[in-house]
Amino acid sequence: MAKITRDMTIAQILNMDMATAQIFMESGMHCVGCPSSSGESLEQACAVHGLEIDPLMKKLNDHFTTEEIDMKKYECTVCGYVYDPAEGDPDNGVAAGTAWEAVPAEWVCPLCGAEKDMFEAV
Ligand SMILES: [Zn+2]
């Protein structure tokens, strides 16, 4: 399932997973951290950097496909709440299908308010 589309901005893709910065760099896009490039769509950024968009999109999508296989559940060590990536936590802004790694760092346990580092893989 392709998740990355050519009209997504660099910032959006980086927000999904900071590890994609590595893919951008390997592909020759060395200024992924600069504000002007992060606001560009993937297509615009490729045009600016003279890169082919299709191989880059394939790499990015391969990256996210690999991640999707690793959809482990995480349990709150404080209260026992289990985060299931298939369900996410829509009430708190985490869409269904969000891998644990992609859950925002500021997300907390919806039952007891524990932070992400209080969770363990189950
Ligand atoms: Zn909890």
Side-chain angles (χ1 to χ4, degrees):
M1 189 179 70
K3 289 183 118 180
I4 304 298
T5 58
R6 55 183 66 221
D7 54 4
M8 288 176 75
T9 65
I10 305 297
Q12 277 179 314
I13 298 167
L14 288 172
N15 280 340
M16 286 166 70
D17 186 354
M18 278 308 291
T20 56
Q22 184 69 25
I23 299 173
F24 287 118
M25 304 241 206
E26 283 170 5
S27 302
M29 209 179 280
H30 292 286
C31 61
V32 283
C34 79
S36 65
S37 80
S38 60
E40 289 170 345
S41 71
L42 193 55
E43 188 164 37
Q44 287 169 328
C46 281
V48 167
H49 293 85
L51 299 171
E52 292 208 40
I53 188 165
D54 291 328
L56 179 56
M57 277 182 48
K58 182 174 185 321
K59 271 191 207 173
L60 291 168
N61 279 314
D62 283 351
H63 173 76
F64 283 107
T65 308
T66 313
E67 286 237 312
E68 266 177 29
I69 297 164
D70 188 26
M71 292 286 254
K72 283 204 283 288
K73 295 181 182 178
Y74 279 76
E75 182 174 5
C76 176
T77 57
V78 179
C79 73
Y81 167 85
V82 173
Y83 176 82
D84 181 351
E87 293 177 15
D89 182 16
D91 291 343
N92 294 292
V94 180
T98 303
W100 179 250
E101 289 74 16
V103 173
E106 60 270 21
W107 180 87
V108 295
C109 175
L111 295 187
C112 73
E115 292 177 8
K116 269 188 83 177
D117 56 9
M118 297 301 290
F119 282 68
E120 285 178 356
V122 286

